Amino acid sequence: MPVRPVRARPVPPVVLAVRRLPNPRLTGLGAGLFASATMLVLGFLDWLILDGQPIVYGLLFLPVSALTALWVRTADLVTAPISVPIAFAVGVVPISGGTAGFGGQAMAVVTALAVHAGWLYGGTLVAGLIASVRKVRDMGRRQRAAALRGQAARRPAP
C-alpha cells in the first residue's frame, strides 16, 4: 500500500500572531506575584482614572487570569487557579472604597469580594480551564513520547 505524503495545512493568521507573543514560563510563586502585582496596579489605575469602576476591574481581571495560566510552568499548573483569586482580592483593595481605618477597609474589601464574585469566579474558571487543557495536552505528549520509546526498544537490532 503506497504511503501518501502528508500535506501541511496553512496556518491561520491569528495563530501566527499568537505565536509571536512572549511566552515566559513562570514558577508558581512567580505567577502568583505577577497576577497580584498586575491586579494591584490595575486596581490603582482604575481608582485613579475611572474612580474605581468595578466592571472595568472585572474585565481586566479576565485576561490577567488567562495570562497567568498560560505563562506558568507546566510543573506548577495547579497554582494558576489558586493564585488568581488571591490576586483579585489584592487588587480590589484600591477600588473597594473603604474608610475609617483598617476595620472599615477590611469590611469594604469583603463586601467588594461578595458583590463582584461573578468576576472572581469567571477569572478563576478561565485560569482553571486553561491550566486543565495545558495539563491534558502535556499528558498526551508524554504518553506519545513513552509509546515511541517503547516501540524503539522493541525493534530488533539490524
Side-chain angles (χ1 to χ4, degrees):
M1 178 181 281
V3 177
R4 292 189 307 178
V6 178
R7 290 187 183 179
R9 292 185 290 172
V11 180
V14 173
V15 173
L16 291 174
V18 169
R19 286 182 183 167
R20 284 191 298 262
L21 289 174
N23 194 19
R25 287 293 170 228
L26 302 171
T27 63
L29 179 61
L33 289 173
F34 161 75
S36 296
T38 304
M39 290 313 300
L40 187 63
V41 167
L42 290 175
F44 274 118
L45 288 174
D46 184 20
W47 174 68
L48 285 172
I49 297 170
L50 301 170
D51 200 30
Q53 292 294 319
I55 192 161
V56 173
Y57 180 77
L59 285 172
L60 292 172
F61 176 62
L62 298 177
V64 170
S65 298
L67 287 176
T68 302
L70 286 170
W71 288 352
V72 70
R73 293 185 317 175
T74 306
D76 297 328
L77 278 173
V78 71
T79 62
I82 296 169
S83 60
V84 293
I86 296 168
F88 186 89
V90 167
V92 84
V93 171
I95 66 166
S96 62
T99 57
F102 179 76
Q105 185 67 40
M107 196 54 134
V109 167
V110 170
T111 303
L113 289 173
V115 171
H116 307 298
W119 293 112
L120 179 61
Y121 292 146
T124 305
L125 180 66
V126 165
L129 286 174
I130 291 173
S132 297
V133 167
R134 284 188 58 205
K135 186 63 176 180
V136 167
R137 290 183 66 197
D138 181 58
M139 288 172 21
R141 264 189 236 115
R142 287 181 185 206
Q143 192 173 26
R144 281 191 300 277
L148 288 174
R149 282 193 305 272
Q151 287 176 354
R154 284 190 297 257
R155 287 189 186 145

